[in-house]
Amino acid sequence: MSDSTRTVGPKIIAIVNQKGGVGKTTTTINLGAALVEEGLKILVVDLDPQGNASTGLGIVPDDRDFTSYELLLENVDLHDVIQKTDTQDLFLIPATTDLSSADIELFSNEKRSFLLHDALRQKGMDDFGFDYILIDCPPSLSLLTVNAMVAAHSVLVPLQSEFFALEGLSQLMLTIREVRQTANPDLRIEGVVLTMYDARNNLSQQVEADARANLGDLVFTSIIPRNVRVSEAPSFALPVLAYDSSSKGAVAYRSLAQELLKKNTKIAA
Ligand SMILES: Nc1ncnc2c1ncn2[C@@H]1O[C@H](COP(=O)(O)OP(=O)(O)OP(=O)(O)O)[C@@H](O)[C@H]1O
Ligand SMILES: [Mg+2]
């Protein structure tokens, strides 16, 4: 058990930032792969109509027969929607552009915020024995992202080490507060991780200083550097840990996974 509020089942973490291109998908895939290296069994849920996590994990659109859309809206069997990837013990529920209409369809559904929550807690899920479920969210605070936050035990926020990085965080924190007040009182913030960090760039250092000053312990010590191997890996349909195991990006994601596990065992203790 890795969380005091949980008695059984996997820990569910939503990877959220409404800003586009900050490293949500990259973090989902590579944190997932790094947790697998720690001996854990991981499910990635692609909740973004762009389907980047699915592509990055090597599931091409033709192989996405059942997707997170069907998981949310059509009661599909978990065995049909959960797919293996080339990384052992890393599984995926893929997404396609179908999901872009889900926001509208969800709106007329009475249980609209709870669909992912209920889907991920259905009985058959225990059979898979996942330790963590990582949800890759779209770049918005839409109903899809709200579904992820209602389903999750915690939110992990990638923060790109660029100007304006902290802008939008207050909106995100407000949304988290709203979700806590209405649907998921136990929702925690797992942490904020700096991504695409360039140590030679003053701006990166400034963003780090600002983030640590404003968010304190919420900011992970581990930092993900800007690293070309990280950006190349998805075109080979691999996590960077498999594509170039000793690259700076792979090393950083391993460190993030270990830090996250350490935090969680502390909570459980
Ligand atoms: N550490 C890194 N070093 C170099 N490139 C990176 C790194 N992290 C992410 N990238 C690249 O930056 C781009 C955006 O990353 P990613 O797709 O993970 O962001 P995102 O937040 O999921 O985007 P979106 O909001 O569109 O879903 C991608 O091309 C990715 O390969
Ligand atoms: Mg993405």
Side-chain angles (χ1 to χ4, degrees):
M1 201 196 321
S2 52
D3 190 309
S4 57
T5 60
R6 233 155 19 92
T7 49
V8 284
K11 172 152 186 175
I12 305 175
I13 303 179
I15 320 295
V16 181
N17 190 332
Q18 75 273 29
K19 230 168 143 34
V22 298
K24 292 180 289 295
T25 302
T26 304
T27 297
T28 306
I29 290 174
N30 293 303
L31 176 61
L35 288 168
V36 166
E37 280 193 1
E38 297 294 321
L40 302 176
K41 191 172 178 186
I42 306 298
L43 173 64
V44 166
V45 179
D46 191 346
L47 206 62
D48 182 352
Q50 297 179 98
N52 295 151
S54 310
T55 307
L57 286 170
I59 308 295
V60 297
D62 275 354
D63 290 336
R64 299 176 203 166
D65 292 336
F66 296 101
T67 66
S68 51
Y69 176 87
E70 282 85 14
L71 180 77
L72 288 173
L73 291 157
E74 292 178 6
N75 269 335
V76 68
D77 191 295
L78 287 173
H79 288 92
D80 288 330
V81 77
I82 295 177
Q83 295 199 21
K84 285 184 178 164
T85 72
D86 285 341
T87 304
Q88 206 185 351
D89 286 336
L90 184 57
F91 292 75
L92 171 76
I93 296 180
T96 59
T97 47
D98 284 355
L99 197 57
S100 54
S101 65
D103 242 351
I104 297 162
E105 291 172 51
L106 285 175
F107 209 79
S108 57
N109 191 310
E110 222 176 284
K111 291 173 63 185
R112 56 181 174 256
S113 305
F114 285 89
L115 293 172
L116 187 63
H117 174 279
D118 295 351
L120 294 180
R121 282 168 178 79
Q122 61 186 284
K123 218 166 139 243
M125 189 55 100
D126 292 348
D127 301 348
F128 291 91
F130 292 120
D131 296 294
Y132 280 83
I133 299 179
L134 306 179
I135 309 170
D136 185 25
C137 290
S140 68
L141 294 171
S142 62
L143 257 180
L144 285 171
T145 301
V146 169
N147 259 271
M149 289 186 179
V150 172
H153 299 101
S154 66
V155 171
L156 192 156
V157 184
L159 199 67
Q160 188 181 354
S161 313
E162 287 283 337
F163 200 54
F164 295 136
L166 289 155
E167 273 196 9
L169 264 195
S170 52
Q171 184 59 40
L172 175 54
M173 295 301 170
L174 270 179
T175 307
I176 291 173
R177 195 180 307 163
E178 255 172 55
V179 169
R180 277 187 187 137
Q181 283 166 355
T182 55
N184 186 4
D186 296 326
L187 181 65
R188 292 164 185 267
I189 298 175
E190 192 68 47
V192 173
V193 59
L194 289 156
T195 63
M196 296 181 239
Y197 189 89
D198 181 352
R200 293 160 306 180
N201 186 333
N202 285 339
L203 196 53
S204 279
Q205 294 173 17
Q206 190 58 49
V207 171
E208 181 187 2
D210 284 354
R212 294 200 191 281
N214 284 292
L215 303 163
D217 283 352
L218 280 183
V219 185
F220 283 98
T221 311
S222 311
I223 290 178
I224 311 301
R226 184 175 283 284
N227 174 225
V228 68
R229 306 306 258 171
V230 172
S231 55
E232 286 168 359
S235 56
F236 294 86
L238 289 171
V240 71
L241 286 89
Y243 173 63
D244 186 346
S245 176
S246 58
S247 62
K248 283 189 175 161
V251 170
Y253 275 111
R254 273 187 205 109
S255 162
L256 178 66
Q258 285 160 9
E259 191 178 345
L260 183 140
L261 291 177
K262 214 187 244 172
K263 261 192 181 182
N264 277 274
T265 40
K266 256 190 216 153
I267 292 170

